[in-house]
Structure formats: structure tokens, C-alpha cells
Amino acid sequence: DAKTTQPTSMDCAEGRAANLPCNHSTISGNEYVYWYRQIHSQGPQYIIHGLKNNETNEMASLIITEDRKSSTLILPHATLRDTAVYYCIVFNNNNDMRFGAGTRLTVKP
Amino acid sequence: NAGVMQNPRHLVRRRGQEARLRCSPMKGHSHVYWYRQLPEEGLKFMVYLQKENIIDESGMPKERFSAEFPKEGPSILRIQQVVRGDSAAYFCASSPAFGGRSTEAFFGQGTRLTVV
């Protein structure tokens, strides 16, 4: 079973920031927080990951709380092409990756 | 560096036939994960393998399904005596071993299995 919980769906206006929350209260000390997204029925696409520090790359920013029990993925300027299902998982390469139902983000014009 | 390659992309089988799905991990990756996805549903974990070893197969149906990741060659997900309920998209992902810093896993584009 997935170790994360996410809202089922969210809407965001095009050009605005999309903030997607994730709870992972049972995360272990050596597990990282990963975010993936799946557009239509394509293979999931890696977005970003982090351990305890905030991370930023060309796609998104990841904010992890100090106690590591929750995190937020931020898409700074959402576009229509960012409409997808976003998955938050915890993983460390030595265990399996379990996906929950994810958050269906709809970016509206 | 080629990405994770899955083949075939589409596979049609009649009920009772066997389906063999292949996954070639990225170069240097020794871990493979298989997932099944039904229409409008999430990714359901099936099995996690390292070279020549099954690490976790708790998501695999007890019968008709098997997986392997040999020392040489791709990982194979095998479904014997397929039934209509096996129709789904099957995705695999690969990652390197944990080397002190976690590294992302990459997914293939999936195999769409249709059982007629």
C-alpha cells in the first residue's frame, strides 16, 4: 500500500502557481520524497525528489516540512500541458515504489 | 543513453494464449519494477526485481503471472493463459542501486495488452 496521501483532484488557472500537497507521516529516515506525473496514458515522468532540503529544478520546486511528514510540489507557472495526474511517493532505491491514486491536476485557461 | 525500452508497445492475445512483455532497463540500472494500470485507475505495483533476484512480488497474482530479470537481457513479465481481465497497460521502471544518495527511477512507455 502507498505510504502517501494526496487530494483526489485540484484545479489551477493557467499562468498561476499550482501547489500540490502530499502527506507522508510514516516516512523513514532514509526515504526520499519523489514526484512523478502521468499525462494521459503515457509512462510516468519524473519531476523532482528530495530528502529534507527544499529542491528546485527546471520543472518544479519541492518544499519538505522540517519534520518530513509532508511536502508540497510547486509548479510556478502552470500551463495547459501540465494537466496530468501527479504522484507523490517515498522511495530509496532499496525498496519497491508504491503509488497511490495521485492528484488529478486540471489547468484551466 | 537510451531510456527504458518496453516492447511490444501493443500486444493482442486471444484468451488462453501467453503474453510476454519485455523491459530493457537503462544502462547501468540493476533494479526493475513492474506495474499494471487499468483504464482510469492508478499504477498498481506488481513486482520488484534486481539482477537474477525477485525482491518483492507481493503485488503479483498468485497464478499465471511470473517475472524474471536475468543476468543478461531484458526483464520479462509473463502472463500465461490470459483472460480478458488481464487487459491493461503494463509499465516498467528501472533504477540504479542505492549508492548513498537516492536516484530517480525512469519509466518506459508501457505495453498495452488487449485480450480478445
Side-chain angles (χ1 to χ4, degrees), chain A residues 2-62:
Chain A
K3 296 177 66 173
T4 61
T5 55
Q6 301 176 249
T8 302
S9 63
M10 293 181 65
D11 291 343
C12 178
E14 187 179 18
R16 303 296 294 270
N19 298 285
L20 291 87
C22 179
N23 287 320
H24 31 80
S25 58
T26 61
I27 190 170
S28 301
N30 62 357
E31 288 180 319
Y32 287 64
V33 180
Y34 279 78
W35 283 83
Y36 285 81
R37 72 180 183 184
Q38 189 175 27
I39 299 174
H40 296 300
S41 55
Q42 298 176 21
Q45 177 189 22
Y46 165 80
I47 300 174
I48 198 167
H49 74 283
L51 182 62
K52 54 184 179 181
N53 297 321
N54 298 338
E55 302 285 346
T56 295
N57 62 20
E58 65 278 4
M59 289 183 69
S61 294
L62 173 60

Side-chain angles (χ1 to χ4, degrees), chain A residues 11-16 78-81 83 106-109:
Chain A
D11 291 343
C12 178
E14 187 179 18
R16 303 296 294 270
T79 70
L80 299 179
R81 288 178 294 180
T83 292
T106 303
V107 180
K108 299 185 174 182

